[in-house]
Amino acid sequence: MARDADAIPPNDKGRIWASLSQALGAELREHRSIQGVSGLDHPVQAIAVDDKNSRVLVFSAEPNPRVAALMQVDVQAAMPDSKVLVARPIVFDLGVMSRQVFKNVDDARVDIASFVRKMERLSRINQSKKGKARAEKQMEELLTPAAHVFANVALPALSQIVDVLQQFAHLDWPTILNSLQVDPKNPVVSFAALMEIDNLAIDRQHGVCPLPLYEFKEADWELMASGGRIEDVQERLKQLDIYQYFFPSPDQIVLGSVEHGITQRNEIVTTVKKAPELGHPLGDSELVPNMTNIPDIIEALADRGYVAEGEHALTVTAKGTTARSSIKFRPRESLLVKLFNRFSVKVDATINSKDFFKP
């Protein structure tokens, strides 16, 4: 149940969510929290309703992807007649930022004393117009995406701080603290762990759609704030592999299913049909011509060399692996994980308390 308190203000920031909702076939509702069956009020950025497909789209304000996933379960239980889909906006991705700053893992190992000397040299270099312009450009490339987000979306500051701290927890803190003890004046800090993190992974593992807002360009924000050109908004969401979470491509589900180990034709058909039942109406095919018969889609993928008939089941070809590699780490993959979790007959009932406290 949505709560009336703190309704979304009718300004540009409200129009951003209205444009996103409309592009996903839903209508924005003026609420900033939603209640689950537990009675808890969950903070949200926005709520949108898709009457045609009986869906409720929740843009979470939670900084933790696991909490967002639990919210989805809680709200779904309170709204059994609708399919509840949750997306979690993300502003800072330290993995992306660190890969922009450091060339390789060795470069990410920072000697503090050397770093200070380097900054002093840069300060002297930056006194020249050319050096200053270069430094400003590097800083702009690093911080501009987040600045655009905060300029266009009213995000809770505390949530973003918590999100950044959770990402910093991936650093090798025991080694860093030991370095401080060994040589307090010149500790060595390695940011290599940040370079290796996949900040969208936990969302995907729990079927939550991560919204990497830091990937939106200035033109994207202007487009969404305009309140029009919805087809252009849809196209941009497709380029960012977000739209396909809400309207998945059936041929990509087939290909992902085979790669995941669902290789019998009847099992693949069952998996594809499960998507609309979970609130994900099928969209257009991407690798083969549009068709409604799933066995025909499988045959078309085989004809085009994406899958091959093995001795007892289908397998993914090199061409299919290439097609999958470009999207495996994108927001759309959350839907496939959700499908595979529902399809699997193996249930692991073991609950580990550490699962609830990982960053």
Side-chain angles (χ1 to χ4, degrees):
M1 178 184 295
R3 312 293 288 183
D4 290 327
D6 301 323
I8 297 175
N11 54 19
D12 284 351
K13 296 183 178 182
R15 284 198 289 273
I16 295 293
W17 296 114
S19 293
L20 280 174
S21 300
Q22 192 174 350
L24 297 173
E27 181 182 349
L28 187 68
R29 295 289 192 265
E30 302 295 324
H31 305 287
R32 294 301 294 272
S33 66
I34 190 167
Q35 191 177 78
V37 71
S38 66
L40 293 174
D41 286 335
H42 301 281
V44 301
Q45 284 298 315
I47 301 170
V49 176
D50 176 2
D51 289 322
K52 178 181 177 181
N53 296 296
S54 300
R55 300 193 299 179
V56 175
L57 313 184
V58 180
F59 299 95
S60 173
E62 293 287 353
N64 189 301
R66 290 184 176 85
V67 175
L70 290 173
M71 177 189 74
Q72 192 275 336
V73 175
D74 193 26
V75 175
Q76 180 64 80
M79 308 177 70
D81 295 331
S82 300
K83 293 102 171 180
V84 177
L85 277 62
V86 173
R88 188 177 73 91
I90 302 173
V91 179
F92 295 101
D93 191 320
L94 297 186
V96 172
M97 296 176 73
S98 60
R99 288 188 286 273
Q100 290 176 330
V101 173
F102 304 111
K103 297 178 181 178
N104 50 53
V105 172
D106 291 335
D107 192 39
R109 193 172 184 271
V110 179
D111 177 310
I112 298 301
S114 297
F115 179 75
V116 171
R117 290 194 296 271
K118 182 179 180 180
M119 290 298 100
E120 290 174 348
R121 288 197 304 271
L122 286 175
S123 178
R124 289 193 295 270
I125 294 173
N126 289 344
Q127 291 177 3
S128 69
K129 283 188 177 181
K130 185 176 180 181
K132 185 176 181 180
R134 183 166 61 249
E136 288 178 348
K137 182 179 180 181
Q138 292 174 342
M139 186 61 67
E140 181 181 357
E141 290 175 349
L142 198 63
L143 299 179
T144 294
H148 282 320
V149 176
F150 285 113
N152 290 279
V153 183
L155 292 166
L158 181 60
S159 294
Q160 300 312 309
I161 293 172
V162 171
D163 190 20
V164 171
L165 290 176
Q166 289 173 342
Q167 294 179 57
F168 267 121
H170 285 85
L171 289 174
D172 186 359
W173 287 106
T175 300
I176 293 173
L177 294 175
N178 182 65
S179 179
L180 283 168
Q181 292 177 343
V182 172
D183 189 356
K185 293 183 179 179
N186 186 28
V188 175
V189 178
S190 175
F191 294 92
L194 290 184
M195 295 182 67
E196 298 171 356
I197 66 172
D198 175 3
N199 194 41
L200 309 185
I202 300 178
D203 292 279
R204 296 196 307 268
Q205 291 167 6
H206 291 82
V208 172
C209 178
L211 290 181
L213 298 184
Y214 53 84
E215 292 187 351
F216 285 24
K217 308 298 182 184
E218 183 175 5
D220 298 330
W221 294 112
E222 292 174 355
L223 170 63
M224 290 183 290
S226 70
R229 298 166 55 196
I230 297 304
E231 290 185 358
D232 291 342
V233 177
Q234 290 176 338
E235 185 58 34
R236 183 59 178 139
L237 293 179
K238 290 177 183 178
Q239 293 172 0
L240 295 171
D241 290 308
I242 295 171
Y243 184 86
Q244 295 91 326
Y245 172 83
F246 299 92
F247 296 95
S249 304
D251 52 357
Q252 291 283 8
I253 298 178
V254 171
L255 189 58
S257 298
V258 177
E259 183 186 53
H260 187 75
I262 303 173
T263 58
Q264 301 299 322
R265 290 174 182 265
N266 63 322
E267 294 176 346
I268 295 171
V269 171
T270 299
T271 303
V272 177
K273 288 183 176 180
K274 184 64 66 175
E277 296 175 14
L278 297 177
H280 301 264
L282 299 178
D284 295 333
S285 292
E286 296 178 334
L287 305 173
V288 300
N290 281 322
M291 52 190 76
T292 57
N293 191 320
I294 300 171
D296 290 343
I297 295 175
I298 297 174
E299 288 299 325
L301 287 170
D303 291 342
R304 285 161 175 75
Y306 291 101
V307 296
E309 194 77 54
E311 185 176 353
H312 301 292
L314 291 170
T315 59
V316 178
T317 65
K319 183 178 180 181
T321 299
T322 300
R324 284 282 299 142
S325 64
S326 63
I327 61 175
K328 283 179 69 173
F329 303 100
R330 302 298 300 158
R332 62 157 72 188
E333 194 71 7
S334 297
L335 178 271
L336 290 181
V337 174
K338 184 190 293 188
L339 285 174
F340 301 151
N341 288 342
R342 297 296 195 283
F343 183 86
S344 176
V345 296
K346 296 179 181 179
V347 178
D348 182 1
T350 303
I351 298 178
N352 190 330
S353 63
K354 292 182 179 179
D355 290 340
F356 298 94
F357 296 96
K358 290 179 182 178

